[in-house]
Amino acid sequence: MAITPELLVPSTFQHYLLGLFAVANNFPAIGPFLTLSQGVPSSQVRRVIRITTFSSLLIMLGAYFLGTAVLQFFGISVSAFQIAGGLLLGFSGLSMLNATDPGDSHEKNFDVSRMDVGQMTSSAIVPISLPLTTGAGTMSTITVYAEAARSLDLRLQLFAAIWAMAILIGLMFTFATRLTRLLGHVGMTVLIKVMGLFTLAIGVQFIATGASTLLSRVTLKI
């Protein structure tokens, strides 16, 4: 059986959700989130969780609805974007695999020792939501998935997976303290490495899909 680009792209709700969980998980953001919420009233912590979760959802939905249109506007082929996104995910996955500490995979660090309420709200969006939870890799992944989901059924499954991922993000922030206590430093590091492996695999998959499509359009003349 010939390998076609369609066979390399997820086509079910669980595949979409697994892919999103690999690239949009907030494990790297848990450390900064706990630092941000330390000594803060529970009502304010819940507000930060709502803001972070809602921001992550908006970013994912933005990529879902506008990603393909943006590519068309700039004249970028989906195949080229798949390869570029695959390289981005590959480097991100390698960074997570090489992390020796949960903080090593952070794309951005920040100091929360002297923050007021407004600064806390801003930090809930940047960098906790973007880029630590839903960054460029997440947007690239959703854009590729959305472009490949040609039927209404597939688009609805991807849409549902995005909402399910947002719920998971909110739950992981809500139970962040218990999660870190349960897993410990070593457990969190191992978990990030596992997610890095999945992220790297998705990156390789995107590169293979994009390259397969480009090569199928090349006509060799002898």
Side-chain angles (χ1 to χ4, degrees):
M1 181 178 63
I3 298 177
T4 62
E6 288 75 13
L7 294 177
L8 298 174
V9 179
S11 58
T12 63
F13 170 81
Q14 55 268 32
H15 285 125
Y16 288 138
L17 184 58
L18 178 60
L20 291 179
F21 188 76
V23 298
N25 70 82
N26 55 351
F27 295 119
I30 286 179
F33 168 75
L34 292 177
T35 303
L36 183 67
S37 59
Q38 187 174 9
V40 175
S42 57
S43 59
Q44 183 64 28
V45 173
R46 289 193 295 270
R47 182 171 182 268
V48 170
I49 293 174
R50 288 195 299 270
I51 292 173
T52 304
T53 303
F54 185 66
S55 300
S56 299
L57 176 62
L58 286 182
I59 292 170
M60 291 189 290
L61 289 178
Y64 174 78
F65 286 110
L66 302 175
T68 303
V70 171
L71 293 183
Q72 293 175 349
F73 178 80
F74 287 103
I76 301 173
S77 70
V78 175
S79 300
F81 188 77
Q82 285 176 325
I83 295 175
L87 291 173
L88 176 64
L89 290 173
F91 285 124
S92 177
L94 287 174
S95 176
M96 295 169 72
L97 284 171
N98 292 327
T100 57
D101 183 271
D104 292 346
S105 60
H106 293 176
E107 298 179 47
K108 182 177 180 180
N109 296 316
F110 62 107
D111 181 14
V112 297
S113 57
R114 298 181 179 179
M115 284 188 175
D116 56 24
V117 175
Q119 290 173 319
M120 288 181 62
T121 301
S122 176
S123 295
I125 301 174
V126 179
I128 292 179
S129 178
L130 178 70
L132 293 182
T133 300
T134 50
T138 302
M139 291 184 279
S140 300
T141 300
I142 293 176
T143 299
V144 172
Y145 285 174
E147 196 282 333
R150 304 300 178 119
S151 67
L152 177 61
D153 178 63
L154 291 179
R155 292 193 67 86
L156 289 177
Q157 291 189 60
L158 177 57
F159 185 75
I162 290 174
W163 277 91
M165 188 64 231
I167 293 173
L168 287 175
I169 290 172
L171 289 175
M172 284 189 284
F173 277 130
T174 301
F175 298 101
T177 302
R178 297 181 184 178
L179 184 63
T180 53
R181 188 184 301 120
L182 176 65
L183 295 176
H185 180 275
V186 175
M188 288 295 294
T189 303
V190 170
L191 192 57
I192 288 176
K193 287 180 179 292
V194 172
M195 292 299 103
L197 180 61
F198 278 105
T199 301
L200 177 60
I202 293 173
V204 172
Q205 181 186 56
F206 282 0
I207 293 173
T209 304
S212 175
T213 302
L214 289 177
L215 290 175
S216 66
R217 299 172 182 172
V218 175
T219 303
L220 296 179
K221 295 183 179 180
I222 301 177

